[in-house]
Amino acid sequence: MYIASTYVIVPHIAPKFGREKISQNSNLSSHFFLTDLLNRNYVKPELNYILVDISKVFKVEYSNIKIQYLDANFPFWDGFPLLPHLSHNDGKKIDISFLYEDEKGNTTNLKPSTSGYGVFVEPNKNSTNQTEICKTKGYWQYDFPKYLTFGSFNKNIRLSEKATKNLILEILKHKNVSKVFIEPHLKNRLKINNNRIRFHGCKAVRHDDHIHFQIN
């Protein structure tokens, strides 16, 4: 009954709450099957459009690469929490995975963890270590996603700085994208200067394992 409701009934009810199921295609999919099974894959139509548009544009340069989304929002009721997130409760927010490359420098669809969360891109020696700063201030939860990987693997892949930067720039091309959250050291590392890229604050969790963006 639950599976039937998830895949047959809920998609038809969600529009009454101003949300719709993310439109998957050959270049856009969920990373973790539980995201869809647990109905964590609903967004406002405007955000759905942006996701599909980004995936189509990205296909031109990266024909074999999928944009993989992580947690979005539940299908019903603004304000209903999507734990453990603080703000994924209105259909306007989504997390998407970084893009990675293999040892030969080829962009790959492989990810370092099952859930898509919890395997971090650590700051360089000369970069600001926001995790240490936040935890020193008492925000113990800042790197808590390291316990939510559901298994980590693909140890030989690393962040594709070029592809991930291009992905963020494609997101920022959409004027109704109001905020993008990544860790401060990554903003500097990727050399992206845009005032919509923000620090999410120590009350959240670290964002050097995924990109969070939201619309107005």
Side-chain angles (χ1 to χ4, degrees), residues 19 34-35 38-43 70-91 93-95 117 212:
R19 304 184 192 184
L34 283 180
T35 303
L38 298 178
N39 291 294
R40 301 167 77 93
N41 59 331
Y42 282 81
V43 293
L70 307 176
D71 281 343
N73 309 262
F74 283 133
F76 313 131
W77 295 297
D78 287 355
F80 191 86
L82 185 89
L83 298 176
H85 303 279
L86 297 178
S87 64
H88 289 234
N89 59 9
D90 58 5
K93 283 92 175 180
I94 191 165
D95 292 341
Y117 295 103
H212 165 109

